[in-house]
Structure formats: structure tokens, C-alpha cells
Amino acid sequence: MEPAPASLRQVMDYCSRKKYQLPLIQRIELALQITDAVSYLHSLTPPLIHGNLHPDNVLLTSSFTPKLTDVGITLKRVFFIASTILSSLMETQHQQMFLLKLATFSV
């Protein structure tokens, strides 16, 4: 059974307390894997923007594989934005129909 993952923040704090620095290659690998995950989210249709990416929201497995967390807040934003756009489009459509009826009535 794999131990519970630690957040990147916990690892950074631990390294700071112990005056230890992760090897450069390991830091670069972590950064590349995190950017790959963000790039994947952005490539979805519609794109998913994390919007709250920080060390507390990156969990590391025992093999130091990063996993992004707290994407739920982003889904709420996406649904809110989509509903706002849809509402705006419906208002515009109703306004156009009203103007068309008004123009027809005036003629």
C-alpha cells in the first residue's frame, strides 16, 4: 500500500527545515510534469483552467510524481461562465425577437 501523498508545499517546507535542496534534475522533472498536466487541461474542449495552482495543490506520490488537485473550483467557474454566456445569448435572442415583433407591428 502506497503512503498518503505529500503536497509539494510539505516537501518544500521539509527541505527548508533540513537545509536540503532537491537535486536540480528532480526539480526540473517536477516542473516539466506539472506544466505537462496544465497543458493537458488547457488542451481539453472546452479548455479547463486550474486557476488556483500553488504548491499546496500539487500532491507528490512516493515516486515524486506530481498530481494536480483542487480542480473542482475550476469546474464551478466553467459552469458559471457557461451559464452567464448562455443567459446573455438568450437575452440577446429575446431582444432580437422583440424588436422583430415590434418592427412587424409597426409596419
Side-chain angles (χ1 to χ4, degrees):
M1 182 173 184
E2 189 168 320
S7 73
L8 180 56
R9 168 71 63 215
Q10 290 171 317
V11 171
M12 291 167 59
D13 289 347
Y14 177 82
C15 289
S16 178
R17 283 193 310 274
K18 297 293 184 180
K19 308 275 191 265
Y20 174 76
Q21 193 171 37
L22 291 175
L24 180 61
I25 190 71
Q26 196 167 22
R27 288 182 280 154
I28 291 172
E29 186 63 32
L30 275 173
L32 289 173
Q33 289 176 353
I34 292 168
T35 55
D36 282 347
V38 170
S39 179
Y40 169 74
L41 292 175
H42 291 182
S43 73
L44 297 174
T45 305
L48 199 62
I49 310 301
H50 191 285
N52 195 24
L53 186 60
H54 52 80
D56 291 321
N57 287 339
V58 177
L59 298 182
L60 300 173
T61 66
S62 60
S63 59
F64 263 68
T65 302
K67 306 287 183 182
L68 299 185
T69 62
D70 201 16
V71 181
I73 210 164
T74 300
L75 293 174
K76 289 178 187 173
R77 281 189 195 145
V78 168
F79 288 127
F80 174 75
I81 291 168
S83 67
T84 302
I85 291 171
L86 183 59
S87 175
S88 175
L89 288 173
M90 289 176 68
E91 279 181 28
T92 303
Q93 189 175 26
H94 287 301
Q95 289 170 354
Q96 289 173 350
M97 288 174 64
F98 176 75
L99 290 174
L100 181 61
K101 286 180 183 177
L102 187 60
T104 305
F105 181 74
S106 299
V107 173

